[in-house]
Amino acid sequence: MKADLMPFEQARDALLAQATPPAAVETVPTLEAVGRVLVADVRAGIDVPSADNAQMDGYAVRCADFPAAWPDGGVRLPVSQRIPAGRVGAPLAVGTVARVFTGAPIPAGADAIVMQEQVRADGDAAVFARPPEPGAWIRRVGDDIAAGQEILRAGQRVTPQACGLAASVGLATLPVAPRLRVACLFTGDELATPGEPLRPGAIYNSNRFVLCGLLRRLGCDVIDLGIVADALEPTRVALREAAARSDLVVSCGGVSVGEEDHVKPAVRAEGGLALWQVAIKPGKPLASGHLRRGDGSHAPFVGLPGNPVSSFVTFLMLVRPMLLRLQGRADVAPLRLSMRADFDWPRPDGRREFLRTRINAQGGLDRFPNQGSAVLTSTVWADGLVDNPPGRPIRAGDTVDFLPFSALIDG
């Protein structure tokens, strides 16, 4: 690795240092909390279940009512009551059984459930073919959740199942961080918008669709400022608008060393800028800084490279952790899986490489043949990235670190 290149970890930590978790709190209906980030621990106010209940359809019995010496024809006992879910039955009379259904409260005096498949109905009685087991098929009070138990933690992204868990203890609302507002803009006079004719020398702006899609999948409110002309004053105007309207500003393109890269002087004029050459591949040029707002506060700024795969990988590996921290997330590290490489990579780069790979039918990883930074096809073909240390060759059969897109893109 060249001495002037910033190590990946240093760049990631520097971006995280700019990310101050939100102090504001919103209270939202639990039904609308999916994808939001909790800002306080959540504890149960009740036991779940709140009463002993039947795990399945069957008969509630008193084990003492059955003889020690089991008769050949089984034991016949009268059914004294029928208890559906949601209804509390009477105490179980000695020498009788109760017909119960899944979720029904256990009547006082009963100490076991016998599943209906092991019982033969006989008029107003039930015939048992074998002795019951004390405590069988009964869900006890607090088996799932005890009153006062912490069920969700601050800094946790709310999933559908977490919403269900909150609802199971009766919580109608949850305390969450405000949605993160991210402004994005794209520089380059060569860029065209899909639907327009493609003039000579132009390319369609794929980065806009990738970046806006990633931000929305990660639960952000996107302020899409579109394509900004390659000139200093329009770039400054766009950056001022972005800073005023957002919590984070992200640009694509214009952070290299060319004379037409106007993002650098525009950010310096509107705030402050640090240019980094990060030791990763794909991706290398990265800008970090801040933009002044009219009230004297600052919006953090990140400038991504313009090549589509470089922008994609740099966002996932460097900007995503920063964004999650700004949302209030506690854990920002990506999921890593140890998997078998079913490919060779004999000539590694001196930078840390993120190779586009996918899982094959044998449970190993295949590599996309062309790892170029402009080959967007590879990101659709792949299931994730192999995180390969600088200078490390890979031989088929080696164990590698695999970062699945399913975890990177969905938070």
Side-chain angles (χ1 to χ4, degrees), residues 33-228:
V34 171
R36 305 296 290 271
V37 179
L38 291 170
V39 295
D41 296 338
V42 176
R43 294 186 178 275
I46 61 171
D47 295 311
V48 179
S50 55
D52 294 350
N53 66 64
Q55 288 191 39
M56 59 181 58
D57 295 348
Y59 295 83
V61 304
R62 190 192 312 269
C63 291
D65 288 340
F66 292 86
W70 196 259
D72 291 340
V75 172
R76 184 179 186 277
L77 292 174
V79 178
S80 59
Q81 58 182 311
R82 183 178 183 274
I83 311 174
R87 185 177 302 172
V88 178
L92 187 62
V94 174
T96 71
V97 300
R99 178 74 167 109
V100 295
F101 298 87
T102 304
I106 304 300
D111 56 7
I113 299 294
V114 180
M115 68 176 68
Q116 64 184 16
E117 293 83 357
Q118 297 176 353
V119 181
R120 177 171 58 85
D122 183 16
D124 60 358
V127 180
F128 296 82
R130 65 185 71 173
E133 298 180 14
W137 303 115
I138 295 177
R139 292 193 190 101
R140 298 296 183 185
V141 171
D143 262 356
D144 186 10
I145 303 167
Q149 178 182 333
E150 180 187 279
I151 57 170
L152 298 170
R153 291 187 176 181
Q156 178 178 346
R157 190 177 187 221
V158 181
T159 60
Q161 55 270 38
C163 275
L165 189 62
S168 74
V169 298
L171 294 174
T173 61
L174 289 172
V176 298
R179 286 190 181 278
L180 191 70
R181 300 166 301 165
V182 181
C184 50
L185 54 101
F186 308 86
T187 65
D189 286 343
E190 76 279 12
L191 298 178
T193 298
E196 298 175 351
L198 194 63
R199 64 188 183 279
I203 58 172
Y204 286 121
N205 182 12
S206 62
N207 282 338
R208 180 185 185 190
F209 293 81
V210 175
L211 180 57
C212 290
L214 288 169
L215 290 169
R216 291 189 178 105
R217 287 284 287 269
L218 290 170
C220 300
D221 286 339
V222 178
I223 301 166
D224 178 9
L225 299 180
I227 299 170
V228 177

Side-chain angles (χ1 to χ4, degrees), residues 247-259:
D247 305 301
L248 171 67
V249 180
V250 181
S251 71
C252 273
V255 296
S256 190
V257 295
E259 295 178 2

Side-chain angles (χ1 to χ4, degrees), residues 5-29:
L5 296 183
M6 179 181 289
F8 167 78
E9 293 87 352
Q10 183 179 340
R12 179 200 60 207
D13 292 346
L15 289 175
L16 283 173
Q18 298 181 45
T20 302
V25 179
E26 290 183 6
T27 300
V28 300

Side-chain angles (χ1 to χ4, degrees), residues 336-395:
R336 292 179 177 273
L337 304 175
S338 295
M339 297 192 66
R340 184 188 71 247
D342 287 346
F343 63 87
D344 292 320
W345 190 244
R347 291 179 295 278
D349 196 86
R351 292 173 284 168
R352 187 166 180 168
E353 296 174 291
F354 294 94
L355 306 174
R356 284 139 275 164
T357 57
R358 75 175 178 190
I359 302 170
N360 58 37
Q362 293 72 45
L365 295 172
D366 294 329
R367 175 181 58 83
F368 192 78
N370 186 346
Q371 293 287 316
S373 62
V375 185
L376 197 56
T377 310
S378 63
T379 64
V380 176
W381 175 92
D383 293 327
L385 303 169
V386 165
D387 181 357
N388 194 48
R392 180 200 177 194
I394 300 172
R395 295 185 178 181

